[in-house]
């Protein structure tokens, strides 16, 4: 009987140590998103010279926020798209980190890419809807 209680107490003591040792390893997608952001903003200034379609490939959620079809007030959207430029990749990293905690690394990368492609799809749909007169 004492051996089973000793094994249980060992398991309880070992679990926090493994979490304490490797907690930062699960945050690497957020850190990569934060590191990528200044380079992506610089790339966006270069892509803006190519036109709005090239910019939308890098920052689709910014174009979704600025869409005329949504009829959002200008004072609400005024600075929101600027914040979205700086928050898009860290938010992708946060989403991937939450998925990494489940132990599914490939699934986390696929979810991050699919969120980006959903943004691209929304840009295309909103541009198509914007062609029709209201």
């Amino acid at each position: 009987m004492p051996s089973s209680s000793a094994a249980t107490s060992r398991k309880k003591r070992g679990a926090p140590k493994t979490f304490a040792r490797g907690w930062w390893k699960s945050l690497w997608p957020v850190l990569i998103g934060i590191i990528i952001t200044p380079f992506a903003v610089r790339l966006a200034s270069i892509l803006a010279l190519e036109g709005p379609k090239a910019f939308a490939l890098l920052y689709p959620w910014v174009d979704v926020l600025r869409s005329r079809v949504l009829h959002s007030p200008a004072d609400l959207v005024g600075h929101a798209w600027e914040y979205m430029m700086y928050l898009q990749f860290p938010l992708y990293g946060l989403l991937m980190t939450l998925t990494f905690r489940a132990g599914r690394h490939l699934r986390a990368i696929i979810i991050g890419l699919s969120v980006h492609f959903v943004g691209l799809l929304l840009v295309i749909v909103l541009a198509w809807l914007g062609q029709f007169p209201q």
Side-chain angles (χ1 to χ4, degrees):
M1 194 76 158
S3 63
S4 65
S5 64
T8 308
S9 65
R10 275 190 225 132
K11 288 180 184 177
K12 289 180 183 176
R13 278 187 266 149
K17 288 182 182 179
T18 58
F19 178 74
R21 258 188 250 146
W23 69 270
W24 64 272
K25 291 179 184 178
S26 65
L27 292 178
W28 71 269
V30 174
L31 296 175
I32 288 177
I34 292 170
I35 292 169
I36 285 176
T37 299
F39 298 109
V41 170
R42 175 70 176 145
L43 183 62
S45 66
I46 295 169
L47 287 177
L49 298 173
E50 296 292 324
K53 291 180 182 176
F55 181 79
L57 286 175
L58 184 61
Y59 286 110
W61 294 104
V62 172
D63 276 357
V64 169
L65 285 176
R66 293 190 307 181
S67 177
R68 294 178 296 144
V69 177
L70 297 178
H71 300 292
S72 7
D75 57 342
L76 178 67
V77 179
H79 295 289
W81 65 271
E82 292 176 14
Y83 296 138
M84 192 62 195
M85 281 183 64
Y86 289 100
L87 288 176
Q88 178 176 333
F89 290 108
L91 286 176
Y92 288 167
L94 182 65
L95 179 68
M96 290 173 66
T97 298
L98 294 175
T99 310
F100 268 134
R101 284 188 162 191
R104 307 282 189 230
H105 303 296
L106 183 61
R107 184 183 299 170
I109 294 170
I110 291 171
I111 287 174
L113 287 173
S114 64
V115 168
H116 188 78
F117 288 123
V118 164
L120 286 173
L121 183 65
L122 278 173
V123 168
I124 292 169
V125 168
L126 291 174
W128 181 72
L129 290 174
Q131 293 176 354
F132 301 114
Q134 269 85 11

